[in-house]
Amino acid sequence: MAVIFTEKQEALVKESWELMKLNISDLSLQFFTTILEIAPAAKAMFSFLKDSVVVPQNNPKLKAHAVKVFKMTCEAAIQLREKGEVVVAETTLKYLGSVHLKKGVADPHFEVVKEALLRTIKDAVGKKWSEEMQGAWAEAYDHLAAAIKAEMKEEMALVHNVAVVFTEKQEALVKESWELMKLNIPDLSLQFFTTILEIAPAAKGMFSFLKDSDVVPQNNPKLKAHAVKVFKMTCEAAIQLRAKGEVVVAETTLRNLGSVHLKKGVADAHFEVVKEALLRTIKDAVGKKWSEEMGGAWAEAYDHLAAAIKAEMKEEVAQVSNGHSN
């Protein structure tokens, strides 16, 4: 379907862009720092920020990335009416879809970026700002976001239609490390979960046995039991991945996991937190046997498990939506 963007909307975005072009560097940085003010956890989605102690405003990689994203977003808006579709510079929508999917970008993240964009433009144009101008930029951004989301869905569909590929070498690496970890499952499971809470303290509110508890998490018996169950299930799914050719989970079903994760409000960013905690725990457990290859094998195995759970979450959402529409 062709994009509908009026002549008046085009004039408004072009008028404001002419003002902003005079100060792209500062506005791009303001745009990105506003994103991080609205959603501080988004810092973890950028490799050049998540382990950096440098103030974001002083990070040269952030500055370069901010300019690229801000320009691309604004220029896509400028061309929208003329082209009749979303066009992005220096990249493709397919590539943007792939990157956003891998980073675990979800609908709320797009809304954060939209809010940061509108605030930045409002500050930049001063008295020329109006509800009409805001509406024009909001609509232009919504078209860009919709185009990226469409590519994300396309890639997700391709992933789900392809059989799991997990090499013999990857299988050997996860099995070798699992043999070491099996000797100390209770302690490693607890380390795994406490690492999750260190990375994302707010996640405590997602567990009924933690959110109203004043007990130190490490001393919570329900946490210990849950940690063992989740850690074992995650590792055993990786062990079986090549032999089964698909994700298989013990003592439950993927459908049940999808339902539980959906009810808890689990989003893509939470899966990334768990992945990071899992890899840190395994690295500590295996010591000198750790390698980039081993990290890659575990990361890929976990990504397959996460994708399978997300697929069930989406299936349940679709069923609920269809139920409401009927």
Side-chain angles (χ1 to χ4, degrees):
M1 185 181 293
V3 167
I4 297 173
F5 200 62
T6 69
E7 191 173 348
K8 180 65 181 290
Q9 288 174 314
E10 181 185 51
L12 287 164
V13 296
K14 283 187 172 180
E15 178 187 9
S16 41
W17 178 235
E18 285 305 311
L19 294 171
M20 293 190 288
K21 280 198 300 186
L22 305 173
N23 192 19
I24 288 177
S25 297
D26 289 347
L27 290 174
S28 300
L29 196 56
Q30 180 183 339
F31 169 54
F32 249 77
T33 51
T34 304
I35 289 172
L36 298 175
E37 283 167 14
I38 299 170
K43 183 181 175 184
M45 302 179 92
F46 301 96
S47 58
F48 49 80
L49 283 182
K50 65 180 179 181
D51 298 319
S52 172
V53 293
V54 177
V55 177
Q57 291 89 323
N58 297 332
N59 187 308
K61 289 185 178 178
L62 172 63
K63 289 180 179 180
H65 184 70
V67 168
K68 185 177 178 182
V69 174
F70 187 67
K71 275 188 69 177
M72 180 202 74
T73 303
C74 293
E75 288 174 351
I78 300 303
Q79 302 176 74
L80 196 54
R81 184 167 181 271
E82 181 187 342
K83 301 285 188 183
E85 62 179 352
V86 174
V87 177
V88 290
E90 298 180 25
T91 185
T92 64
L93 286 167
K94 182 164 283 191
Y95 175 75
L96 289 175
S98 179
V99 169
H100 281 68
L101 186 64
K102 286 170 185 168
K103 292 286 184 184
V105 175
D107 287 353
H109 298 119
F110 283 102
E111 290 304 307
V112 166
V113 174
K114 180 180 177 179
E115 177 64 24
L117 178 70
L118 295 177
R119 287 189 198 177
T120 302
I121 297 170
K122 183 178 181 180
D123 286 349
V125 302
K127 291 181 179 179
K128 287 190 176 289
W129 184 254
S130 65
E131 284 191 13
E132 271 193 305
M133 185 177 281
Q134 176 180 327
W137 276 106
E139 184 161 335
Y141 176 80
D142 286 344
H143 283 300
L144 173 61
I148 295 172
K149 289 177 193 176
E151 292 296 341
M152 290 169 70
K153 286 179 182 175
E154 181 69 23
E155 178 149 329
M156 183 67 82
L158 289 171
V159 169
H160 289 159
N161 288 332
V162 175
V164 168
V165 176
F166 200 63
T167 68
E168 191 172 349
K169 179 68 181 289
Q170 288 174 315
E171 181 184 52
L173 287 165
V174 296
K175 284 187 172 180
E176 177 187 10
S177 40
W178 178 236
E179 286 303 312
L180 294 172
M181 292 190 289
K182 280 199 301 187
L183 304 174
N184 193 19
I185 288 176
D187 288 347
L188 290 174
S189 302
L190 195 56
Q191 179 183 338
F192 168 53
F193 250 75
T194 51
T195 304
I196 290 172
L197 297 176
E198 284 168 12
I199 299 171
K204 182 180 176 185
M206 303 179 90
F207 302 97
S208 58
F209 49 81
L210 283 181
K211 63 181 179 181
D212 298 319
S213 172
D214 294 325
V215 177
V216 177
Q218 291 90 323
N219 299 332
N220 188 309
K222 289 185 178 178
L223 172 64
K224 289 180 179 180
H226 184 71
V228 167
K229 184 178 178 180
V230 174
F231 187 68
K232 276 188 70 177
M233 180 202 74
T234 303
C235 293
E236 288 174 349
I239 300 303
Q240 302 176 72
L241 194 55
R242 185 167 180 271
K244 301 286 187 182
E246 62 179 352
V247 175
V248 176
V249 290
E251 296 181 28
T252 186
T253 64
L254 285 168
R255 178 167 292 182
N256 180 57
L257 288 175
S259 181
V260 169
H261 281 69
L262 188 64
K263 286 170 186 167
K264 293 286 185 184
V266 175
D268 288 350
H270 298 122
F271 283 101
E272 289 303 307
V273 167
V274 174
K275 180 180 177 178
E276 178 65 23
L278 178 70
L279 295 178
R280 288 188 197 177
T281 303
I282 297 169
K283 184 177 181 180
D284 285 350
V286 302
K288 291 182 180 178
K289 287 190 176 289
W290 180 257
S291 64
E292 282 192 17
E293 267 194 309
M294 183 177 282
W298 277 104
E300 183 160 338
Y302 176 80
D303 285 345
H304 283 300
L305 173 60
I309 295 172
K310 289 177 194 176
E312 292 295 341
M313 291 169 71
K314 287 179 180 174
E315 182 68 25
E316 181 155 326
V317 168
Q319 288 176 359
V320 170
S321 298
N322 290 335
H324 287 165
S325 62
N326 294 334

